[in-house]
Amino acid sequence: MTQPQVPGGGGETLELPCGEDIDVRRLDLGMREYECDCGGSHAVVMDVHPPERFLPDFLVSVLREAVETTSEEMPEFGTAHLMGMVLEEFPGEVASADVSDDGDVGAGIVWMTDFDARRLHEIVVELVVELMEHAVSHADADSAIAEFEARMHEFDVSEFVSQYRAERDLSADDVSV
């Protein structure tokens, strides 16, 4: 739960799922993970982070074409939609704050999870696969459904995330406060 602070007094305080509080001004745009006083690592995501942080460019393009958004503020499928999926699936394990009024943060929305950056990455991929599976299930072509299901049985989320992170050089995930 966010708590407003005195203007000029240090910004929003975000209560993390572990119960610790953090001043959102301690976060920077390059941060992907926060080493908390609780002893755990929390994934850090900001609305300015591109969805390509989690998914290949081609898949983001497909999702942008296929997924209709209903928000005038976020008319294009992006990170906020991915985090919305995570928040819906894990409501007690994601904390968020609207920091759009704080120019020192550099983002509009900040999310921090009870799990680390790698686990969040796996969850995002799993949820997108479920979304794709749901979309394919509505296809009229039984062969397309069967082919998709066969490929998904071969798909290893953990291996995909390992390869993708190595390819994208997501070493910034090791950055902590």
Side-chain angles (χ1 to χ4, degrees):
M1 183 80 41
T2 61
Q3 300 171 341
Q5 300 293 309
V6 176
E12 290 281 327
T13 299
L14 181 61
E15 183 180 340
L16 301 177
C18 66
E20 296 286 333
D21 290 334
I22 180 173
D23 180 341
V24 295
R25 289 184 179 180
R26 292 184 63 194
L27 307 175
D28 66 63
L29 295 177
M31 187 178 289
R32 301 291 185 262
E33 198 161 81
Y34 173 76
E35 296 301 324
C36 184
D37 291 341
C38 76
S41 298
H42 302 287
V44 177
V45 181
M46 298 181 187
D47 62 341
V48 295
H49 294 162
E52 289 84 359
R53 170 181 171 180
F54 301 107
L55 305 168
D57 298 347
F58 80 89
L59 185 53
V60 171
S61 294
V62 168
L63 289 168
R64 284 187 171 144
E65 287 180 30
V67 176
E68 266 187 54
T69 62
T70 58
S71 170
E72 289 181 20
E73 293 174 357
M74 297 176 217
E76 183 175 72
F77 185 88
T79 300
H81 298 92
L82 293 173
M83 290 308 297
M85 292 168 54
V86 174
L87 186 58
E88 185 176 312
E89 195 70 25
F90 300 95
E93 297 177 73
V94 180
S96 63
D98 179 346
V99 294
S100 56
D101 290 337
D102 189 340
D104 290 337
V105 178
I109 304 173
V110 174
W111 297 271
M112 292 182 72
T113 67
D114 201 31
F115 22 82
D116 65 18
R118 180 184 170 81
R119 180 65 188 131
L120 173 62
H121 196 158
E122 291 174 347
I123 288 169
V124 167
V125 171
E126 290 167 357
L127 292 172
V128 168
V129 167
E130 285 180 25
L131 177 69
M132 293 167 44
E133 188 173 36
H134 178 75
V136 168
S137 72
H138 291 287
D140 291 333
D142 290 337
S143 62
I145 295 169
E147 182 179 348
F148 181 83
E149 288 177 356
R151 289 184 184 229
M152 286 302 99
H153 286 306
E154 299 169 9
F155 184 68
D156 183 333
V157 171
S158 182
E159 182 61 27
F160 169 82
V161 168
S162 292
Q163 288 179 13
Y164 190 73
R165 291 169 76 83
E167 177 184 313
R168 297 291 296 200
D169 190 25
L170 294 178
S171 57
D173 282 337
D174 297 330
V175 175
S176 60
V177 174

